[in-house]
Amino acid sequence: MRRTALSEEILLTVEKPARYIGNEVNSVLKDKTQVDIRFAMCFPDVYEIGMSHLGIQILYSMFNTFDDVWCERVYSPWTDLHAIMKEKNIPLFALESQDPILDFDFLGITLQYEMCYTNVLQILDLSHIPLYAADRNEAHPIVIGGGPCTYNPEPLADFFDLFYIGEGETAYRKLLDLYKECKRKGFGRQEFLRRASHINGIYVPSLYTVEYDDEGLIRAFTPVYDDVPSVIHKEIEMNVSDTYYPLNPVVPFIKVTQDRVVLEIQRGCIRGCRFCQAGMLYRPVRERDVNLLKSYAREMLDNTGYEEISLSSLSSSDYTHLEELINFLVDYAKEKKLNISLPSLRIDAFSLDVMSKIQDVRKSSLTFAPEAGSQRLRNVINKGLTEEVILEGARQAFLGGWTRVKLYFMLGLPTETEDDCRGIAELSNEIARLYYELIPKSERKGRVQIVASTSFFVPKPFTPFQWAKMCKKNDFLKKAHFVNECMHEQLNSKSIKYNYHEADVSILEGVFARGDRRLSAVIVKAYENGCLFDSWTETFREEPWIRAFDECGISMDFYTARERSLDEILPWDMIDIGVSKDFLKREWDKAINETVTPNCRISCSGCGARIFGGGVCYES
Amino acid sequence: MKVRIRFKKEGVMKYIGHLDVMRYFQKLLRRSDIPIAYSQGLSPHQIMSFAMPLSTGLESDGEYVDIEITQRVTSLEAVRRMNANNVEGIEILSFKELPDGAKNAMASISAADYEVSFRDGYRPAFSCIDILRKMYDEDCINVVKKTRKSESVVDIKPGIYEIEGDDDKIHFCLSCGSVLNIKPELVIEAAFNREGEDLPEYALSIRRNEIYTDIDGKRVSLDMIGTDII
Ligand code: SF4
């Protein structure tokens, strides 16, 4: 019978023991004596979040198709178990074998958001792996990072042996083969890392030195050896219709955030919103074959027993065969008694028709993401959505019976003025007004419900705003309070609800998004001060973070509240994502001049991603 | 056609709570292509009802779930398919057609068998079975039953049908259902209290062996109500 790393008593003491026992449908068991490489794949957050992540499922199934590899999963123990493991000195284990992480060859950690960085240290700490890569020896697994945050891995540079920059499907096999070769030849850890740095997409932070000038700016970033490349090119899967896909995804016992079959219909985005990092990182757009997606859908539903399916991409409405795919899914869902959950589609006649077929119109809501309150500012951020389009969508929806509207905006965007902020309230009001104008009193069932939410803008690497100054905490809150006041001044304010949240997490996100190697020390201090699960409102505490920065003598403002000059060496300059710095500069310039850049299907703007030889760049 | 499924739940599956077991079965039935019937309406759900929730931490050889199917499938085939799609720790033991008019499992339960032992390090100094036997010989066994809102004194004697075994393994047959629902830990706690001790949490390892219904005053296993589909 299955063994558990934790005792029965511990499992019955902690909240949701199912997080720690493995044994799920489609989880992979292998004979550890029959594989060459044991790979622990970690999402450094609680099980329910980690299990909802498609990228992990893709890599998990890819690794396990390799006969010589056994890939297992590991997630952050929740705070209750964390305390027990620390107290009793129980080592962190992988779910499948329940074996300690120390027994593994690799520990791969996906870095999806900056606020998981203390959880990364928790994983290392509980695994009994030294936090600093420099302190590790042959007995320790190779710690490898992947995911969007690795496009600026510098704040974590000291903790990782290497980073995999780019999409996971392409270069892992090479890395694993190199590892086996090094083992066979008796080469040590250092030799392996040195050789790994020659593989495209692999960045070994210990093989570079950074020098700073008197103001703390980077003066030079240099490889330690001649054979170590000075630029790391991202990896990209150009053939998305013929690559790994998890047709047998692991099915959790407990309810997780994404508790359904997920079909990734395309990678990348044609839009080029200037605040959006994903839109730049995953260029160019590559679509999956629609017939392939249909067969994936059938197979995955059969293999999991899930009753729900959803689509995933950055902008599903831009998928060429969306209508065909959705019509297929709607029919299939009817036959098989399935639910479809649609990502937020552009609101138009087609999407409204589909939505009315698959959900209760009165209970569901429309979602618009204008991101900025005025057309001027929307031009700055290159968000194509205009007020006319929003109002036309809302008009059709109200006539179709919808009464709930969700609006998403950002505060603190470059060049933002009071007028732009007021525009958020005015647009919300305008939509409410339209409803009352359109729907006669006798047909109304109560008020229209407009929910406007704002988040605080965080400049990200590899976007045209990577040079921008970020607001300070008080500026953010002032803006939110101002929007709130404006909401109250609106005629239809009773129909509008306005949401915003605290700004402290956004500031930290801003620091780490564009941070450098000197921040590693702060993260260690914060972890020692008790920070963990910082992305959770219930566990986040600002005070220990502030203390950590003070103790390290590092200023947050240096990273957030300063506009960077165009010739400053940025911590992530050694990474090449295909999109050129020149293009980003042009876009930054156009943003200031409030000039819109057309999307990739209207015309190519020469961003540089053509170099990958496929996708939307070669469509016509 | 109404069908009763008997299954075993053991090993690490004891950590999966009742609601999650229900969700597990919904998916299991789909994976196994069992022609399960759905309710009508805008959001159809599978027609399925479990006899009696099993608390987290307990194992069982006799769990029951009633479903409705739209097409005939033989018991052998259904059991085979479901077990091929099962995880370790859940095993389908039978899949039987219920006669017309049979009460659903939940409505008909009357008693259950349990097998109880002490987890390592929790065995008391006194002989638990001796105390239990003595208690059982008395006319009434008053215990304090606590609910979230109130405390009340209940005589549990009428709900204890059998106590057997030894200090390694104690067998109980206890009343369950809506009238008098008695859990084995309640009986053992009563024995501990007699010795002036409290029953520590996690002391007991419990396995449910069977659930019964009452037919003409006789206990009949829920499994005996249905017949194999051939
Ligand atoms: S090269 Fe042109 S078409 Fe290709 S991603 Fe860049 S802007 Fe779009």
Side-chain angles (χ1 to χ4, degrees):
Chain A
M1 208 167 322
R2 259 186 88 71
R3 185 181 69 84
T4 53
L6 300 169
S7 72
E8 206 171 353
E9 190 164 335
I10 294 178
L11 283 167
L12 290 174
T13 317
V14 297
E15 196 186 304
K16 302 194 190 171
R19 287 167 172 164
Y20 312 112
I21 59 171
N23 198 42
E24 304 96 325
V25 169
N26 294 332
S27 59
V28 178
L29 293 181
K30 292 191 180 186
D31 179 349
K32 63 182 168 197
T33 63
Q34 299 299 309
V35 295
D36 299 320
I37 295 173
R38 297 187 70 185
F39 199 111
M41 180 66 79
C42 170
F43 191 113
D45 204 324
V46 77
Y47 179 89
E48 294 93 308
I49 302 288
M51 278 296 287
S52 305
H53 188 250
L54 178 65
I56 291 259
Q57 296 261 16
I58 292 177
L59 293 182
Y60 179 80
S61 77
M62 175 187 85
F63 280 125
N64 282 319
T65 60
F66 302 152
D67 283 338
D68 54 345
V69 181
W70 183 12
C71 178
E72 307 184 35
R73 293 157 302 143
V74 57
Y75 302 104
S76 302
W78 186 243
T79 50
D80 55 349
L81 181 59
H82 175 87
I84 295 173
M85 292 175 83
K86 287 294 277 183
E87 188 206 316
K88 300 195 194 280
N89 203 27
I90 301 171
L92 187 61
F93 53 90
L95 292 183
E96 281 75 1
S97 64
Q98 300 276 312
D99 285 342
I101 302 300
L102 266 186
D103 292 359
F104 283 69
D105 298 281
F106 285 92
L107 168 61
I109 304 180
T110 182
L111 303 163
Q112 295 291 321
Y113 28 82
E114 290 81 9
M115 296 318 288
C116 75
Y117 290 177
T118 52
N119 280 62
V120 170
L121 297 191
Q122 176 210 27
I123 296 288
L124 296 172
D125 180 25
L126 293 181
S127 301
H128 303 168
I129 298 173
L131 301 187
Y132 285 97
D135 298 335
R136 291 175 203 145
N137 61 34
E138 306 302 326
H140 299 114
I142 303 283
V143 181
I144 177 164
C149 290
T150 58
Y151 289 90
N152 176 24
E154 287 304 275
L156 299 171
D158 290 356
F159 313 133
F160 282 83
D161 295 300
L162 46 83
F163 291 100
Y164 181 116
I165 316 288
E167 297 174 12
E169 289 98 337
T170 45
Y172 266 116
R173 190 62 254 185
K174 247 185 243 158
L175 186 72
L176 299 176
D177 287 339
L178 175 70
Y179 179 78
K180 277 170 58 172
E181 188 195 321
C182 288
K183 247 177 137 178
R184 211 169 38 239
K185 294 187 175 157
F187 295 155
R189 195 180 187 92
Q190 292 317 319
E191 183 61 27
F192 165 69
L193 291 175
R194 172 95 170 258
R195 289 176 181 229
S197 77
H198 302 161
I199 298 177
N200 192 66
I202 300 297
Y203 168 52
V204 181
S206 58
L207 297 179
Y208 300 80
T209 52
V210 192
E211 291 159 60
Y212 303 92
D213 67 16
D214 296 341
E215 283 164 58
L217 304 180
I218 297 175
R219 185 189 301 142
F221 186 91
T222 348
V224 178
Y225 305 107
D226 286 347
D227 59 304
V228 174
S230 53
V231 176
I232 295 98
H233 303 277
K234 83 167 178 196
E235 275 295 309
I236 183 167
E237 175 56 88
M238 289 309 292
N239 195 351
V240 290
S241 293
D242 183 19
T243 184
Y244 303 95
Y245 203 72
L247 297 179
N248 289 288
V250 180
V251 186
F253 293 116
I254 52 175
K255 239 182 153 31
V256 298
T257 316
Q258 178 84 264
D259 210 12
R260 49 189 74 88
V261 164
V262 179
L263 269 189
E264 187 194 38
I265 59 178
Q266 61 187 355
R267 279 213 189 134
C269 179
I270 57 171
R271 301 266 148 193
C273 297
R274 294 185 179 122
F275 55 84
C276 177
Q277 189 189 33
M280 296 296 160
L281 295 183
Y282 305 118
R283 282 185 170 218
V285 164
R286 292 143 288 155
E287 298 194 339
R288 279 211 161 97
D289 177 74
V290 65
N291 289 317
L292 180 82
L293 288 172
K294 290 181 197 170
S295 76
Y296 278 4
R298 280 193 224 103
E299 212 171 318
M300 292 172 78
L301 288 162
D302 283 351
N303 292 343
T304 57
Y306 269 126
E307 295 176 301
E308 191 169 332
I309 183 163
S310 84
L311 305 181
S312 152
S313 78
L314 291 170
S315 166
S316 299
S317 296
D318 294 325
Y319 178 61
T320 322
H321 306 286
L322 187 74
E323 286 206 29
E324 181 183 343
L325 181 62
I326 290 194
N327 289 334
F328 161 81
L329 288 177
V330 169
D331 290 344
Y332 194 67
K334 211 165 163 193
E335 180 194 329
K336 299 272 179 175
K337 308 273 195 301
L338 297 163
N339 298 318
I340 305 179
S341 73
L342 286 183
S344 29
L345 295 176
R346 196 181 314 135
I347 304 298
D348 56 19
F350 168 71
S351 62
L352 289 173
D353 178 52
V354 171
M355 280 157 62
S356 68
K357 277 186 202 150
I358 62 174
Q359 47 192 229
D360 186 345
V361 168
R362 278 161 308 156
K363 287 188 195 132
S364 62
S365 52
L366 298 175
T367 305
F368 295 99
E371 308 291 2
S374 70
Q375 196 56 48
R376 185 201 73 78
L377 193 53
R378 284 195 290 274
N379 291 346
V380 169
I381 62 177
N382 206 39
K383 181 88 199 183
L385 199 55
T386 63
E387 182 158 337
E388 293 75 68
V389 171
I390 296 171
L391 292 177
E392 175 53 24
R395 194 185 65 83
Q396 291 182 25
F398 291 151
L399 292 174
W402 273 270
T403 57
R404 295 177 195 207
V405 181
K406 285 190 201 155
L407 299 169
Y408 291 100
F409 299 94
M410 277 185 285
L411 283 177
L413 289 162
T415 77
E416 187 179 70
T417 63
E418 281 203 347
D419 285 346
D420 301 316
C421 295
R422 189 177 301 111
I424 293 174
E426 287 169 354
L427 181 58
S428 308
N429 184 64
E430 199 51 30
I431 295 171
R433 197 185 59 78
L434 178 70
Y435 176 83
Y436 294 116
E437 183 184 290
L438 220 52
I439 309 295
K441 232 185 188 130
S442 55
E443 288 170 29
R444 286 179 211 158
K445 293 182 189 76
R447 283 202 181 107
V448 64
Q449 298 173 42
I450 315 271
V451 179
S453 307
T454 58
S455 61
F456 297 121
F457 169 64
V458 178
K460 294 278 166 110
F462 293 109
T463 66
F465 294 157
Q466 64 179 358
W467 293 281
K469 180 177 161 173
M470 183 175 160
C471 288
K472 292 197 183 186
K473 185 171 158 180
N474 283 338
D475 304 330
F476 274 139
L477 293 176
K478 257 188 238 153
K479 283 170 190 283
H481 296 154
F482 178 72
V483 172
N484 201 29
E485 276 166 37
C486 295
M487 289 287 185
H488 286 297
E489 286 162 12
Q490 302 302 314
L491 226 53
N492 294 300
S493 63
K494 289 211 174 88
S495 307
I496 309 171
K497 192 171 176 304
Y498 172 53
N499 293 326
Y500 66 93
H501 51 78
E502 287 302 314
D504 36 19
V505 172
S506 306
I507 299 288
L508 281 171
E509 237 181 86
V511 172
F512 291 111
R514 293 187 294 169
D516 56 39
R517 287 185 176 202
R518 290 169 291 189
L519 292 172
S520 293
V522 180
I523 303 170
V524 172
K525 269 274 180 299
Y527 178 66
E528 286 168 2
N529 290 348
C531 295
L532 194 61
F533 288 104
D534 296 307
S535 62
W536 293 71
T537 25
E538 67 216 80
T539 39
F540 175 76
R541 287 180 303 138
E542 189 190 24
E543 185 277 324
W545 271 109
I546 305 275
R547 209 159 12 105
F549 276 93
D550 286 348
E551 284 163 348
C552 296
I554 288 182
S555 140
M556 296 204 217
D557 285 356
F558 174 80
Y559 296 99
T560 51
R562 135 184 110 77
E563 183 169 325
R564 287 148 169 81
S565 81
L566 289 180
D567 52 17
E568 180 176 333
I569 299 176
L570 303 170
W572 53 92
D573 272 352
M574 73 294 189
I575 292 171
D576 174 13
I577 64 161
V579 172
S580 68
K581 197 167 183 180
D582 225 40
F583 172 75
L584 297 177
K585 283 181 186 164
R586 285 202 310 268
E587 283 292 293
W588 180 216
D589 200 49
K590 283 169 92 177
I592 303 301
N593 292 312
E594 302 167 14
T595 310
V596 168
T597 297
N599 75 49
C600 298
R601 287 223 170 87
I602 295 175
S603 77
C604 169
S605 312
C607 76
R610 246 182 117 83
I611 193 164
F612 299 115
V616 67
C617 322
Y618 292 84
E619 253 172 27
S620 50
Chain B
M1 179 194 288
K2 277 192 188 159
V3 166
R4 176 160 297 164
I5 300 171
R6 176 180 182 163
F7 65 97
K8 192 195 262 193
K9 183 183 182 226
E10 63 183 1
V12 297
M13 291 307 286
K14 72 174 158 220
Y15 302 112
I16 307 301
H18 179 62
L19 287 177
D20 294 325
V21 170
M22 287 167 62
R23 287 162 17 87
Y24 174 82
F25 264 82
Q26 285 163 7
K27 297 192 185 86
L28 172 63
L29 289 161
R30 294 181 76 103
R31 279 199 302 277
S32 316
D33 225 349
I34 303 297
I36 178 137
Y38 282 79
S39 67
Q40 301 296 314
L42 205 64
S43 51
H45 55 266
Q46 296 179 352
I47 297 179
M48 173 192 287
S49 90
F50 281 74
M52 190 181 171
L54 186 70
S55 309
T56 309
L58 269 63
E59 297 184 308
S60 177
D61 305 297
E63 290 305 288
Y64 293 92
V65 52
D66 291 354
I67 63 167
E68 220 172 290
I69 56 174
T70 55
Q71 275 165 41
R72 210 179 165 76
V73 47
T74 66
S75 300
L76 212 65
E77 175 65 10
V79 171
R80 188 192 62 76
R81 271 196 246 159
M82 288 178 78
N83 281 335
N85 281 290
N86 254 329
V87 295
E88 184 185 319
I90 298 272
E91 187 187 341
I92 306 299
L93 301 173
S94 72
F95 184 99
K96 291 181 178 173
E97 176 175 3
L98 287 177
D100 284 342
K103 273 204 268 176
N104 80 28
M106 201 186 324
S108 51
I109 57 171
S110 66
D113 282 344
Y114 298 92
E115 186 182 283
V116 181
S117 55
F118 289 98
R119 293 210 165 101
D120 287 347
Y122 282 105
R123 201 159 157 167
F126 58 88
S127 165
C128 192
I129 190 77
D130 284 353
I131 311 284
L132 287 167
R133 287 222 169 88
K134 256 181 243 157
M135 265 169 44
Y136 192 55
D137 284 340
E138 292 164 18
D139 293 336
C140 76
I141 309 171
N142 284 333
V143 301
V144 181
K145 235 183 159 177
K146 287 183 204 129
T147 64
R148 248 173 293 151
K149 285 195 198 111
S150 64
E151 276 190 18
S152 57
V153 178
V154 196
D155 176 16
I156 58 171
K157 173 79 200 268
I160 303 178
Y161 303 136
E162 274 167 27
I163 297 180
E164 269 168 38
D166 51 39
D167 279 319
D168 288 333
K169 212 160 250 174
I170 307 168
H171 296 274
F172 289 102
C173 181
L174 302 172
S175 164
C176 63
S178 50
V179 186
L180 185 57
N181 197 27
I182 297 187
K183 292 182 168 179
E185 52 269 41
L186 189 71
V187 186
I188 301 228
E189 195 178 10
F192 269 64
N193 291 163
R194 295 223 166 180
E195 287 297 294
E197 285 183 34
D198 284 332
L199 177 65
E201 228 178 329
Y202 314 114
L204 302 178
S205 166
I206 304 174
R207 192 175 177 106
R208 185 146 80 195
N209 301 118
E210 184 58 289
I211 303 177
Y212 299 99
T213 184
D214 188 285
I215 293 181
D216 303 329
K218 271 209 198 94
R219 285 200 296 277
V220 179
S221 151
L222 281 186
D223 202 25
M224 302 306 288
I225 307 298
T227 47
D228 274 330
I229 311 167
I230 319 167

